[in-house]
Amino acid sequence: MASFQITGGRKLKGELIPQGAKNEALQILCAVLLTKEPVTIHNIPNIRDVNQLIDLLGDLGVWVTKIGENSYRFVASDVNLDYLESDTYKRKAAALRGSVMLLGPMLARFKKGRIPRPGGDKIGRRRLDTHFLGFEKLGAQFNYDANDGGYYQVDASNLRGTYMLLDEASVTGTANVLMAAVMAEGITTIYNAACEPYLQQLSKMLNSMGAKISGVGSNLLTIEGVSELHGTDHTMLPDMIEIGSFIGLAAMTQSEITIKNCRIPELGIIPDQFRRLGIQIEYKGDDIFIPAQDRYQIESFLDGGMMTVSDAPWPGFTPDLLSIVLVTAVQAQGTLLIHQKMFESRLFFVDKLIDMGAQIILCDPHRATVVGLNRQLPLKGIRMSSPDIRAGVALLIAALSAKGTSIIDNIEQIDRGYQHIDTRLNAIGAEIIRL
């Protein structure tokens, strides 16, 4: 288990280029199974979860060729379905939450699929009902056999288009069902579909491969099934979660940071939510400039009520940035209520911030009240452990702003979602040592 040793209290200055979007990558990479022709993908982040999925695709028989620093070519012309029966597949797929999205392409192209219960962050219950209810609506039949080592077996020999109302606007559930539907017979209508930029990117990629998807960007998708898809060339968006993390980092450490090539129109309300914390944000073309600020003040609602930041399906605020907003509020002036509606364990890292000197009240598993210190007291360095990807980076931001030295254990969680984060931050003045 690796650790970061962080010397806090250093002001950073320079430019950061966001990596490709992790959550888009996990969908886009699974989609290469939909065709036997070459698919080239650019701006793939070099992070643990994505590399594990690329490795898994290679084991399945997909030809994987690296053609640039962040570009790969995939050719799924000779997929080995027998590999799905192996212990190696079970171990690798179970360790990766995104592996569940292999099912949709498998069902569409090969008419069957097999997946173990996937892993991922321990942030609360993450059910798969939306995926399987959608597959069943398309005519697939699935079976979960605990005696078979905990595999989901799916038979999709007769997929037909239909109308479906998803029980929740699940991003991965929508992506999975969408990929299964593009080659189903007839027309499929998906209502209450997730419409995050990741889904829009996936839909655009599938359409460039020959799919017929309309309603992209809305919560009502219509898919006219086609018999086959062909290859394409696709460039991924920059990671909006990393961009938001860098905004919070600049504010907490009183740093002057320019975030390059942000695709600002795709960020939705993310910049505005950080502005509500009092953070100055300037647009310079497609770059975001955060000036060094001694202090920033949390806004109040118009009636004087306490500001609340909560997560919601897109175009609402993404739950992946609530941990970053929470830690950023620690040194603000004012009080903020964080309401994490989706996952019941995602706020369980605040005890570590409290140990560092933050004033936070954990109201219940879903809500925390942050009373900003307004720079009156610095956080102090401690030893702590990263429970999940986003909490890990929130703790890293806290440690970079703190007085003294901190150690963060279990940084494999951070590596799952952030590409060479220590090297990139050290390049603009941080002092992070990987132990």
Side-chain angles (χ1 to χ4, degrees), residues 128-143:
L128 298 175
D129 302 53
T130 305
H131 302 249
F132 290 113
L133 290 172
F135 294 149
E136 285 187 320
K137 285 278 189 179
L138 291 171
Q141 297 179 326
F142 81 95
N143 178 57

Side-chain angles (χ1 to χ4, degrees), residues 369-395:
T369 301
V370 185
V371 181
L373 296 171
N374 192 27
R375 311 274 189 209
Q376 298 300 310
L377 293 170
L379 297 181
K380 62 179 182 291
I382 64 168
R383 185 162 199 149
M384 46 197 159
S385 181
S386 171
D388 65 73
I389 299 175
R390 309 308 174 187
V393 170
L395 295 176

Side-chain angles (χ1 to χ4, degrees), residues 341-389:
K341 299 175 183 176
M342 192 171 295
F343 301 114
E344 66 271 14
S345 303
R346 205 161 208 174
L347 297 180
F348 287 176
F349 73 100
V350 301
D351 59 322
K352 301 170 180 64
L353 297 177
I354 293 170
D355 288 345
M356 297 178 79
Q359 295 185 343
I360 304 172
I361 302 167
L362 185 61
C363 309
D364 56 47
H366 292 277
R367 295 178 301 161
T369 301
V370 185
V371 181
L373 296 171
N374 192 27
R375 311 274 189 209
Q376 298 300 310
L377 293 170
L379 297 181
K380 62 179 182 291
I382 64 168
R383 185 162 199 149
M384 46 197 159
S385 181
S386 171
D388 65 73
I389 299 175

Side-chain angles (χ1 to χ4, degrees), residues 244-253 274 277 279 296 298 321-332 336 338 347 349-350 352-354 356 358-360 368 370-373 375 379 384 390-402:
S245 301
F246 291 155
I247 294 173
L249 168 68
M252 274 288 279
T253 58
F274 283 99
L277 301 184
I279 300 170
Y296 47 100
I298 300 170
L321 277 174
L322 280 184
S323 301
I324 308 301
V325 169
L326 187 152
V327 75
T328 305
V330 165
Q331 283 294 3
L336 180 71
I338 297 287
L347 297 180
F349 73 100
V350 301
K352 301 170 180 64
L353 297 177
I354 293 170
M356 297 178 79
Q359 295 185 343
I360 304 172
V370 185
V371 181
L373 296 171
R375 311 274 189 209
L379 297 181
M384 46 197 159
R390 309 308 174 187
V393 170
L395 295 176
L396 177 60
I397 291 171
L400 287 165
S401 73

Side-chain angles (χ1 to χ4, degrees), residues 6 75 98 132 160 168 212 220 266 268 330 348 387 389 420 435:
I6 304 108
V75 184
F132 290 113
R160 293 185 180 276
E168 64 172 348
K212 296 181 179 179
L220 179 61
E266 307 290 346
V330 165
F348 287 176
I389 299 175
H420 307 310
L435 304 177

